Amino acid sequence: MNSVRNNDFQDLITGRRSIRNYDPSVKISKEEMKEILTEATLAPSSVNLQPWRFLVIDSEEGKATLAPLAKFNQTQVNTSSAVIAVFVDMNSLDYTDRIYNDAVEKGLMPAEVRDRQIPGIKGMLSQVPVQEMREMNLIDAGLVSMQLMLAARHHGYDTNPIGGYEKDQIAEAYGMDKERYYPVMLISIGKAADAGYQSVRLPIDEITKWK
Ligand SMILES: Cc1cc2nc3c(=O)[nH]c(=O)nc-3n(C[C@H](O)[C@H](O)[C@H](O)COP(=O)(O)O)c2cc1C
């Protein structure tokens, strides 16, 4: 059965904190996980290329593979319903036609706009150095990751973004091409077993300038 939906935006954002310990008996169905991921992918991305890719690690076998790669984050791996490994696809440009054709077919974009956009995007991005493309993809991946964490809260779950893992080994450990799939972060997700810790934020006046 699906969890209860929380639509209280204030509660979704002020109540979010990194939860590292979960009720291990709680499983998230594939159907519900797909809903969460679908909501996450409503995030914006550069020229709508949606370079994010997800690996949902929710089986015992999958978690056993992950455990030695996330040595300092064992509780999240062991108790969560799933750990979602977020990657970016460095071949995201190959999806341009597919995405823009889909928009035209669905009546969301005039064909002339597509026909102008596709060569512009391909012309520009095929010249961009790999490092710049990676940076662009990582910005998009940050946005989808945040939206994923809020979508999880909408479904009554909590999360922890995790950067402490063997990024150089993660793709290969799951049979993925490490040149193509660049790691972004892990996001553990599940039913919170404790309240986590509240954390501080720098004052807005210190981090903001008005001109
Ligand atoms: C990219 C990224 C990587 C992080 N890596 C870890 C990690 O490896 N282990 C961990 O316990 N928390 C990790 N965190 C969680 C932060 O410690 C946490 O977000 C921060 O202290 C603020 O707390 P809050 O999430 O409860 O608001 C990471 C957060 C981000 C955004």
Side-chain angles (χ1 to χ4, degrees):
M1 211 183 78
N2 283 353
S3 56
V4 178
R5 301 290 185 269
N6 179 356
N7 283 311
D8 181 341
F9 183 71
Q10 269 301 315
D11 182 65
L12 291 182
I13 60 167
T14 59
R16 188 211 59 78
R17 52 196 53 119
S18 286
I19 294 295
R20 299 173 173 91
N21 192 19
Y22 305 88
D23 176 348
S25 69
V26 174
K27 307 283 171 223
I28 301 177
S29 68
K30 206 169 200 171
E31 182 197 22
E32 186 171 26
M33 188 62 87
K34 281 184 174 182
E35 281 179 40
I36 294 170
L37 294 173
T38 302
E39 288 164 7
T41 58
L42 296 175
S45 62
S46 308
V47 288
N48 201 24
L49 283 187
Q50 308 158 52
W52 43 67
R53 302 291 180 263
F54 308 107
L55 174 70
V56 179
I57 303 165
D58 65 349
S59 67
E60 256 182 54
E61 196 192 345
K63 289 222 184 153
T65 303
L66 183 60
L69 302 181
K71 285 202 188 90
F72 301 106
N73 291 289
Q74 290 293 300
T75 316
Q76 299 94 316
V77 175
N78 292 332
T79 64
S80 62
S81 306
V83 177
I84 302 165
V86 182
F87 294 88
V88 288
D89 184 354
M90 292 303 295
N91 291 356
S92 56
L93 198 52
D94 294 349
Y95 290 76
T96 315
D97 294 76
R98 156 100 174 274
I99 292 166
Y100 282 75
N101 285 337
D102 193 24
V104 171
E105 273 159 33
K106 292 200 163 107
L108 302 174
M109 181 183 281
E112 316 78 84
V113 173
R114 170 199 60 194
D115 297 342
R116 212 174 41 240
Q117 294 267 65
I118 291 180
I121 293 166
K122 287 185 178 171
M124 176 181 68
L125 293 181
S126 57
Q127 307 299 318
V128 161
V130 174
Q131 182 54 28
E132 232 174 87
M133 192 73 189
R134 185 173 292 132
E135 271 177 31
M136 189 182 98
N137 286 342
L138 286 174
I139 291 170
D140 295 338
L143 296 174
V144 85
S145 297
M146 184 68 246
Q147 188 131 313
L148 202 170
M149 292 189 272
L150 293 178
R153 285 195 38 80
H154 169 63
H155 286 249
Y157 302 113
D158 282 286
T159 58
N160 181 204
I162 298 171
Y165 66 106
E166 307 297 335
K167 288 194 174 154
D168 55 328
Q169 295 174 39
I170 186 92
E172 275 175 320
Y174 292 96
M176 297 165 72
D177 176 358
K178 70 182 286 192
E179 299 306 319
R180 176 167 177 187
Y181 298 103
Y182 189 80
V184 178
M185 69 178 85
L186 304 176
I187 300 176
S188 56
I189 176 169
K191 237 349 153 203
D194 62 41
Y197 306 99
Q198 260 189 291
S199 55
V200 297
R201 294 297 184 266
L202 296 168
I204 293 304
D205 282 343
E206 250 180 67
I207 59 167
T208 311
K209 282 188 172 36
W210 275 266
K211 294 281 183 195

